[in-house]
Amino acid sequence: MTSRSTRLRLAAASSTLALVATGCSGGSGDDASSTSPVGSSPSSLQTTESSSSSTAAGSADPAMAKFYSQKLTWADCEGVKCAKLTVPVDYANPGGATIQLALSKVPAKGKAKSSLVVNPGGPGASGYDYAAAADGIVTPQIREHFDVVGFDPRGVGRSAPITCYSDAQMDTLLGGDPTPDDKAEQKSVQTDVGKFAQACKDKAGPLLGHVSTVEVAKDMDVLRAALGHDKLDYLGLSYGTFIGSTYAGLFPAKVGRFVLDGVVPPDITSKEMDLGQAKGFETATRSYVQDCVSKGDCYLGSTVDQGLATIRDFLKKLDANPLPISGQGPVTKFTEGWASLGIAYGMYSKSSWPVLTFALKAAMNGDPNELMGMANQYAARDANGSYADNGMQSFYAVSCLDRASTNDLSAFEKSNTEFIKQAPTWGSMLAWGSLTCGEWKVPTTGKQQKITAAGAGPILVVGNTRDPATPYEFAQRLAGDLKNARLLTLDADGHTAYGQNSCINKAVDGYLMNGTLPAEGTKC
């Protein structure tokens, strides 16, 4: 298995909070309709695999034949096999410009029965890196029998990355005010996110209008064909479930064994998503405080309500008077925005709670360095102010194409009041979650509608009862909408379930290996 820090970084990336400089999340439905290098230079050792004529028939459009019949040339790249997949920028114009997607593959330790395509979520997280960490993301049984394959979705990481801001500019954006208190602050936040949106339009070019989840799902079908499979086997976490359900809606006959863990429903609205996450993080934080109180002498207070109030008071103080901080590149003030990211990072896994306790207690005593370190982990940022990837930027590019929002500040004020009633700690931060998309400069192309995937094979939907980023009711919702699905439940803290619990692992592995679904109502 990979180190816990690597696993947590991937988990945090799998569902970026909308509170991050007021972002948003995506949506689609059943009937939705330049080049980039692939990381390291390949060595001379190469293998080739091509699609058969049967798998190439993924599209009726003759202009798509060259994409569906392409061959993948695998090379050795820093411990994994890597390749490039060519796809059209605009599927409505397959004869036009193309981009190349970065692929990684970790071959099965034994004889591979198939490829398992994986995606950790985001949007904006690297599927390339996720697959490269195969020993830490799937069980030994799956490693033995599956080639684990990942790809950076269009606009992400190594696949024609969309980069709008410099690292220093991203520091300013992420450290900004997530809870504007009055009309002047609201207007200031709106201006700030509007500048970011304009920078994306100015720098990203035509690709900015073609990084939707529907287009990523279509890319994934081209990948299926290039891998030589009639059907696609897939493990998608968090936003990766949205890619998976979109694929199932578009290509139900091509669905093999699909595991969708930590669900983002395709029919959810921006407001529903923001409120769902606010309530999810409230539940997770309450569970964290309950754990602290139950152990006695809790630094936050003697009751759960006192503890939550202590956290809220700390964030409110930071909003008014940020703490000074050094050794963090351009960042010299530890703001409410950075603190929120650090605390949120601690909610993704119960194993992070001791670290969060140490960091949050220190910050409350005037030393924010450890909590800033957790915020850095969330944002894939180092102490020098360098970002490891463009995940925090491509998040908006994808999300704002998938789901429309408004720029009416009065609507956000109304949401703010409503959210705080249901999530006092996180409600205000998430209430402003879709303002960036309200200011986006490229028209939304996504549609919020249910996906039934009629004609697809059985899909395994997995949900965690106290998941902060993708609440359990989201999994229930998708499992109910799909025509052929089974819901598997984990009663635990943390984001997603597979890899966190032996009962879940056994059920998921049984399905991936031989198609056997867990019994109806299985709860681990």
Side-chain angles (χ1 to χ4, degrees), residues 185-271:
E185 288 188 357
Q186 294 167 14
K187 192 63 180 178
S188 178
V189 170
Q190 185 175 43
T191 298
D192 289 343
V193 298
K195 288 179 180 177
F196 173 75
Q198 186 62 51
C200 289
K201 182 180 180 182
D202 292 343
K203 296 181 179 180
L207 183 61
L208 189 64
H210 296 285
V211 290
S212 70
T213 299
V214 165
E215 286 156 314
V216 173
K218 291 179 178 180
D219 292 343
M220 202 157 68
D221 196 55
V222 176
L223 173 60
R224 171 201 58 78
L227 290 170
H229 300 312
D230 289 327
K231 294 192 175 185
L232 178 71
D233 294 330
Y234 179 71
L235 170 64
L237 276 64
S238 201
Y239 165 76
T241 66
F242 179 35
I243 298 173
S245 62
T246 300
Y247 181 93
L250 292 169
F251 307 101
K254 300 299 181 183
V255 171
R257 290 167 189 170
F258 264 45
V259 179
L260 306 180
D261 180 8
V263 170
V264 175
D267 62 328
I268 198 167
T269 66
S270 292
K271 183 177 179 180

Side-chain angles (χ1 to χ4, degrees), residues 31 39 45 76 119 189 263 311 332 374 427:
D31 302 315
L45 298 175
D76 289 330
N119 183 280
V189 170
V263 170
I311 294 174
T332 59
M374 297 183 76

Side-chain angles (χ1 to χ4, degrees), residues 32 83-84 132 193-194 243 288 313 346 365 397 418 429 465 476 485 495 517:
K84 300 177 183 179
V193 298
I243 298 173
Y288 163 72
D313 288 345
N365 288 323
E418 177 185 346
M429 300 176 198
T465 57
Q476 294 174 304
H495 183 41
L517 289 167

Side-chain angles (χ1 to χ4, degrees), residues 10 38-40 49 72-85 101-108 115-120 126-134 137 146-153 158-159 223 227:
L10 293 169
V38 180
S40 308
E49 79 187 332
L72 295 177
T73 300
W74 294 100
D76 289 330
C77 297
E78 297 184 351
V80 300
K81 298 292 184 180
C82 66
K84 300 177 183 179
L85 182 74
L101 306 183
L103 313 179
S104 67
K105 177 173 71 171
V106 178
S115 301
L116 179 66
V117 175
V118 298
N119 183 280
S126 171
Y128 183 106
D129 291 342
Y130 194 58
I137 66 169
F146 286 85
D147 293 335
V148 179
V149 177
F151 68 102
D152 282 354
R158 302 166 182 85
S159 298
L223 173 60
L227 290 170

Side-chain angles (χ1 to χ4, degrees), residues 11-50:
S14 69
S15 184
T16 307
L17 248 73
L19 67 87
V20 181
T22 55
C24 48
S25 300
S28 182
D30 282 311
D31 302 315
S33 170
S34 139
T35 61
S36 177
V38 180
S40 308
S41 298
S43 76
S44 59
L45 298 175
Q46 299 184 349
T47 59
T48 300
E49 79 187 332
S50 61

Side-chain angles (χ1 to χ4, degrees), residues 288 292 296-301 310-311 356-362 364:
Y288 163 72
C292 181
D297 195 26
C298 178
Y299 73 106
L300 294 169
T310 299
I311 294 174
L356 176 61
T357 295
F358 177 81
L360 186 53
K361 187 175 182 179
M364 288 178 174

